[in-house]
Amino acid sequence: MNTPRIQHTTTVPPNNAQHSGGITVRYPRLLVLDQRGAAPLDGSLEPERVKRLLDGGGYTRPPRPTVVVYRLRAGRHQQTGVVVEVSLDDYRAGRIRRHEATKPEREHRIEQLTEAGGVEQMPVTLTHPDRPYLGELLDGIAEGEPDLQTDAAGGVRHSVWLRQDAMLAGTVREELASVSTIYIADGHHRMAVAERNGRSHRHSTEEDPRAFTLAALFPSSQMRILGYHRCLPAHRELSTSWVLERLAALPMMTRIEECTSTATTNPAPGVVLLRLNDRCFRLRLRTPTGPNQVRAGLDAVLLDEQLLPAVSRIVDPNGQHGESPDGGGKCWCSSRNAICLVPHPPTVEQVMAVSDSGSVMPPKSTWFDPKAVAGLFARELR
């Protein structure tokens, strides 16, 4: 097994570094994919795959405390953060906040896979208000050659730097302790499963692995949200004019405009893109009024709770609406006879405001991109 190339550095914390009753983190009992096995990752969560890697020496175990810097790059976009364990008590107390509802069947599937393998193999992605000094520290580490670099599905490059330095680790921990609230970007189901498992297993000490969960923390200014596609199978031949006529009669609709058939993203709020029979239209929606405008005024919420059910009843009165498993990038409707709806994505600030209000959006309302990948890290639970 290759030994990770861990650099030892000395860093002096700034004079204003202090604990302020913020979130609790600790450096993880982490296994990192060995560079020799860093073939393109497919995001598989199957426990057999991880067991083969564990049994075959496919992971290395950095000593603690090691600062784990994690960078995701997709095209021109990149985000740089740190991998730690976060306290599940912070999630219970509302210091780690969610913005989406979860699906019980999805939670159950993740719980089965986690228990079968005995490991967490994908960090929950969290975002926090920017900490400039923390960003400087992490960027400085990332100037060197990564200890691990691999490409995953979707053309995302994942790079990891490992630095064993007690003073540096303490400084990063102090910076994160100054953050009072962090937000789930991706991994609502995994966080819910970790919290439930933590409650069902009594913790003998605070060092118990189930008192924490694996997380990758990124500054909010570096996060990117894409519009989450919703796709409906067309079970019969549909006349475009017939569908548009019925859409125009909906109370929420103010105007329908045709646009270029190559449009794949939605740059304007208050508009949902509709792709139908190789044509594209902009559906301009009426802004709802009433309580909780922080949540209700978001296009993704309006699409899921009002427009999508109405469109489903129009195109297939006896069927059920579906969603694209590929989310914000590409969707299966492009290769089938299907209807695609693409809302304008909320901003990171709007998502954080929903979390702060105590509300939740429908499941899969946001597509934070790029995402962490399964199998790059493993955290043992036993």
Side-chain angles (χ1 to χ4, degrees):
M1 182 187 302
N2 288 348
T3 300
R5 178 181 55 79
I6 301 176
Q7 292 189 9
H8 298 258
T9 59
T10 300
T11 304
V12 178
N15 292 333
N16 62 352
Q18 59 182 353
H19 283 288
S20 61
I23 63 169
T24 301
V25 303
R26 69 184 185 190
Y27 284 92
R29 294 171 177 79
L30 190 67
L31 298 169
V32 181
L33 187 67
D34 192 282
Q35 181 66 65
R36 295 173 302 176
L41 295 168
D42 61 3
S44 172
L45 287 168
E46 296 303 323
E48 294 81 6
R49 174 180 178 274
V50 176
K51 187 177 187 303
R52 286 196 301 270
L53 285 168
L54 290 170
D55 293 344
Y59 286 98
T60 59
R61 188 187 301 274
R64 299 174 73 199
T66 293
V67 177
V68 183
V69 179
Y70 184 24
R71 173 173 286 172
L72 291 79
R73 181 189 293 271
R76 296 182 178 180
H77 175 86
Q78 75 174 26
Q79 56 198 58
T80 305
V82 62
V83 177
V84 296
E85 293 180 12
V86 294
S87 170
L88 291 171
D89 281 342
D90 282 344
Y91 178 62
R92 298 180 185 109
R95 289 184 288 272
I96 299 175
R97 296 179 180 172
R98 64 175 187 154
H99 68 269
E100 282 185 354
T102 56
K103 296 181 177 180
E105 62 274 15
R106 174 66 174 159
E107 288 186 20
H108 180 64
R109 174 61 174 161
I110 291 174
E111 188 168 17
Q112 285 183 317
L113 293 171
T114 302
E115 291 304 307
V119 298
E120 293 177 341
Q121 54 169 305
M122 187 175 182
V124 176
T125 300
L126 304 174
T127 187
H128 58 83
D130 285 22
R131 299 286 302 174
Y133 182 69
L134 176 61
E136 291 176 10
L137 287 177
L138 302 184
D139 286 339
I141 294 171
E143 288 178 357
E145 192 72 18
D147 297 281
L148 169 63
Q149 188 164 272
T150 184
D151 295 326
V156 180
R157 172 153 292 182
H158 300 257
S159 303
V160 179
W161 291 261
L162 306 171
R163 296 296 180 269
Q164 185 189 9
D165 182 329
M167 184 173 287
L168 175 62
T171 301
V172 172
R173 190 170 181 174
E174 289 284 346
E175 280 288 301
L176 292 174
S178 297
V179 178
S180 61
T181 306
I182 54 178
Y183 302 85
I184 301 174
D186 182 67
H188 286 79
H189 293 84
R190 295 193 300 279
M191 181 66 83
V193 168
E195 192 279 328
R196 183 165 59 250
N197 287 345
R199 278 190 286 110
S200 63
H201 294 75
R202 291 185 178 274
H203 307 141
S204 56
T205 68
E206 290 187 358
E207 290 295 302
D208 192 296
R210 293 183 187 267
F212 287 70
T213 194
L214 190 64
L217 277 61
F218 298 93
S220 59
S221 65
Q222 295 183 20
M223 303 300 280
R224 179 174 71 173
I225 305 178
L226 305 180
Y228 215 115
H229 298 180
R230 292 291 190 263
C231 299
L232 303 172
H235 297 294
R236 56 189 172 86
E237 290 298 323
L238 295 172
S239 161
T240 300
S241 59
W242 183 87
V243 173
L244 293 178
E245 181 181 341
R246 280 151 183 78
L247 287 175
L250 296 175
M252 72 190 75
M253 201 70 59
T254 63
R255 191 162 71 252
I256 300 177
E257 307 164 345
E258 187 160 8
C259 55
T260 173
S261 60
T262 59
T264 58
T265 58
N266 188 349
V271 177
V272 170
L273 284 184
L274 166 71
R275 292 206 294 272
L276 171 65
N277 294 333
D278 296 323
R279 295 170 68 183
C280 182
F281 301 89
R282 293 190 186 95
L283 309 181
R284 297 196 176 273
L285 309 179
R286 195 180 311 279
T287 303
T289 58
N292 199 359
Q293 285 298 103
V294 171
R295 175 187 183 278
L298 297 178
D299 292 350
V301 174
L302 185 59
L303 168 64
D304 243 62
E305 296 183 348
Q306 296 188 42
L307 181 58
L308 190 60
V311 175
S312 182
R313 288 191 295 269
I314 290 171
V315 302
D316 186 11
N318 299 316
Q320 294 182 346
H321 60 77
E323 64 183 39
S324 164
D326 296 314
K330 54 187 178 181
C331 54
W332 54 259
C333 60
S334 61
S335 59
R336 303 183 187 182
N337 180 30
I339 295 171
C340 178
L341 296 156
V342 184
H344 178 71
T347 65
V348 175
E349 291 74 19
Q350 287 174 321
V351 169
M352 293 164 73
V354 169
S355 297
D356 291 340
S357 72
S359 302
V360 291
M361 300 162 67
K364 301 300 183 184
S365 294
T366 57
W367 179 265
F368 280 84
D369 179 84
K371 297 178 178 292
V373 67
L376 185 63
F377 306 107
R379 175 177 175 266
E380 295 171 303
L381 296 175
R382 299 168 183 162

